[in-house]
Amino acid sequence: MYGLAMAKGMLVTLKNFAKKPFTVQYPEERVKQHPRFRGEEFVWYEERCTGCASCAKFCPLGIIKIVTSPSETAPLQGDKYRLEVFDIDISRCMFCGLCVEACPYDALFMGSGFEQSAYSRKGRVIDIDQLRQAEKLPSTYFRPQLESASYKPQEGQPLDWVDVGRESWRWHEREKAGMRLQPSDASPEAISIGSPDEGRGVVEPVNEEIEEAGTVSAEETT
Ligand code: SF4
Ligand code: SF4
């Protein structure tokens, strides 16, 4: 009986002897990750972020903390948010990606790394400065625009904020800096989703409008 069990065991060994191994000797060897891999090191594009906090609201674990205040850069339009705190407690994250799915502005992406393990959960909160400085190698998870461009974050090519959105929103940064959009003469039908900068409107500085208003009132009083 004992000999039979030994023979069965040896048979299994022999069967697998010639097979290619599917384990790798990490860290000397690394498994190739899929571009859609949901990794650590969240990629955040401040230029795209409006501080809407949708990501925090949709996180099922409540581990994203966002604090904003009125920026006073666009008071005539009802103002914008200034982000003061953007913390993600990475030690409790389950990498579900719901925060990324909830972001309406393509400002938040899953990362592509997986080497931030630690023995303690202490000090594992990614803050706004770390998010700003993190390498911009976004995962293509829930970002079809990156998939269609065959982007591969593991190849180490960082992407700028103008290249990562489903819409380029090139005016967005200027708007945050106090500019505003005016409706253009183009009809709504003329607006092309593929060319977001065309037909969306003309960007004009708020300050110019204030200056113009001041000029008119000065003339009226003379
Ligand atoms: S990936 Fe999931 S758990 Fe992690 S911060 Fe986003 S929503 Fe929360
Ligand atoms: S990352 Fe996206 S969802 Fe989160 S606050 Fe910024 S714009 Fe809103």
Side-chain angles (χ1 to χ4, degrees):
M1 188 64 107
Y2 182 69
L4 187 62
M6 281 279 284
K8 278 186 179 173
M10 288 306 292
L11 197 62
V12 171
T13 306
L14 279 172
K15 268 187 187 168
N16 289 285
F17 195 69
K19 281 189 185 167
K20 198 178 164 192
F22 50 83
T23 53
V24 297
Q25 298 301 314
Y26 178 84
E28 288 79 17
E29 292 177 74
R30 281 152 199 254
V31 175
K32 198 176 168 195
Q33 303 292 348
H34 193 279
R36 250 181 285 140
F37 175 69
R38 296 196 296 258
E40 302 170 330
E41 304 127 3
F42 281 87
V43 176
W44 177 60
Y45 290 94
E46 186 171 15
E47 297 87 346
R48 289 186 165 273
C49 181
T50 60
C52 68
S54 297
C55 50
K57 287 171 202 153
F58 279 82
C59 174
L61 303 181
I63 57 170
I64 300 180
K65 180 181 178 184
I66 289 180
V67 178
T68 57
S69 61
S71 69
E72 297 177 9
T73 56
L76 296 181
Q77 286 71 47
D79 212 354
K80 302 288 172 188
Y81 287 129
R82 176 186 290 116
L83 263 170
E84 292 168 359
V85 175
F86 196 142
D87 289 346
I88 305 176
D89 186 350
I90 198 90
S91 73
R92 299 183 186 276
C93 180
M94 59 182 178
F95 306 104
C96 62
L98 290 178
C99 53
V100 172
E101 293 186 27
C103 177
Y105 300 104
D106 290 342
L108 190 63
F109 294 71
M110 297 307 294
S112 47
F114 58 93
E115 296 179 304
Q116 291 202 16
S117 58
Y119 288 109
S120 166
R121 284 184 166 167
K122 283 184 186 164
R124 305 291 296 130
V125 176
I126 302 178
D127 65 16
I128 193 166
D129 290 329
Q130 286 170 283
L131 285 169
R132 279 181 182 129
Q133 289 157 17
E135 215 172 4
K136 307 300 183 198
L137 297 171
S139 161
T140 64
Y141 170 73
F142 205 72
R143 298 299 184 218
Q145 69 275 26
L146 299 187
E147 288 228 30
S148 26
S150 303
Y151 175 68
K152 293 186 176 54
Q154 287 80 13
E155 289 178 358
Q157 182 68 44
L159 283 183
D160 197 36
W161 71 273
V162 294
D163 300 321
V164 295
R166 276 163 281 192
E167 299 188 58
S168 72
W169 294 67
R170 286 177 194 279
W171 46 266
H172 193 83
E173 192 175 51
R174 287 173 288 174
E175 192 189 39
K176 284 182 77 171
M179 318 290 277
R180 74 178 180 81
L181 283 175
Q182 275 192 342
S184 73
D185 294 330
S187 64
E189 292 77 26
I191 294 174
S192 162
I193 293 171
S195 307
D197 293 333
E198 294 166 14
R200 279 196 182 277
V202 183
V203 179
E204 286 191 357
V206 172
N207 290 344
E208 271 181 27
E209 186 177 270
I210 294 168
E211 280 171 21
E212 279 171 18
T215 308
V216 170
S217 60
E219 285 171 0
E220 281 172 349
T221 53
T222 54

